[in-house]
Amino acid sequence: MPSRRPERVSGLLLETIAETLLREVKDPRVSTVTLTGVRIGPDLKAAKIFFTLRKKEDLANALAGLRKATGFIRRQVAGRLQLRYVPELEF
């Protein structure tokens, strides 16, 4: 029987990353980003974060802003969630 842990961790990651983007990331390029989902591997070491935008023209700027903030977001996740390994984040 497969474990439900990846599903639970992906839900926690989605909540934590969304709150971090909303309250702590000051980059205006990510202000219109809405997170839609997280897919995490069975070993919990890599996570793909899916998002959408209000305007498709802003995609390149938003993606650049998210990639620049990845280290900060990952540190925030490490501080809030008690995980053995903090997954690598890919937007």
Side-chain angles (χ1 to χ4, degrees), residues 10-11 15 18 20-21 23-24 27 33-34 37 40 43-46 49 62 67-68 70 83-87:
S10 66
E15 289 176 19
T20 301
L21 284 175
R23 302 192 192 290
E24 298 176 31
D27 194 338
V33 170
T34 303
I40 192 164
D43 60 354
L44 306 178
K45 292 189 178 181
I49 294 94
R67 286 183 177 154
K68 183 152 176 73
T70 299
L83 298 173
R84 183 171 291 166
Y85 300 105
V86 178

Side-chain angles (χ1 to χ4, degrees), residues 35-55:
L35 298 183
T36 58
V38 174
R39 187 173 300 151
I40 192 164
D43 60 354
L44 306 178
K45 292 189 178 181
K48 286 188 179 185
I49 294 94
F50 299 95
F51 65 94
T52 187
L53 299 168
R54 290 185 205 148
K55 294 187 243 178

Side-chain angles (χ1 to χ4, degrees), residues 7-27:
E7 291 176 28
R8 291 193 313 260
V9 171
S10 66
L12 289 171
L13 274 175
L14 183 64
E15 289 176 19
T16 305
I17 294 170
E19 185 175 327
T20 301
L21 284 175
L22 181 66
R23 302 192 192 290
E24 298 176 31
V25 175
K26 303 298 183 203
D27 194 338

Side-chain angles (χ1 to χ4, degrees), residues 42-91:
D43 60 354
L44 306 178
K45 292 189 178 181
K48 286 188 179 185
I49 294 94
F50 299 95
F51 65 94
T52 187
L53 299 168
R54 290 185 205 148
K55 294 187 243 178
K56 297 298 177 191
E57 299 85 32
D58 298 338
L59 180 63
N61 284 334
L63 192 55
L66 286 170
R67 286 183 177 154
K68 183 152 176 73
T70 299
F72 175 76
I73 295 169
R74 195 163 179 242
R75 274 193 310 275
Q76 296 302 313
V77 168
R80 293 181 186 169
L81 300 180
Q82 300 299 319
L83 298 173
R84 183 171 291 166
Y85 300 105
V86 178
E88 292 291 328
L89 305 177
E90 179 184 345
F91 291 92

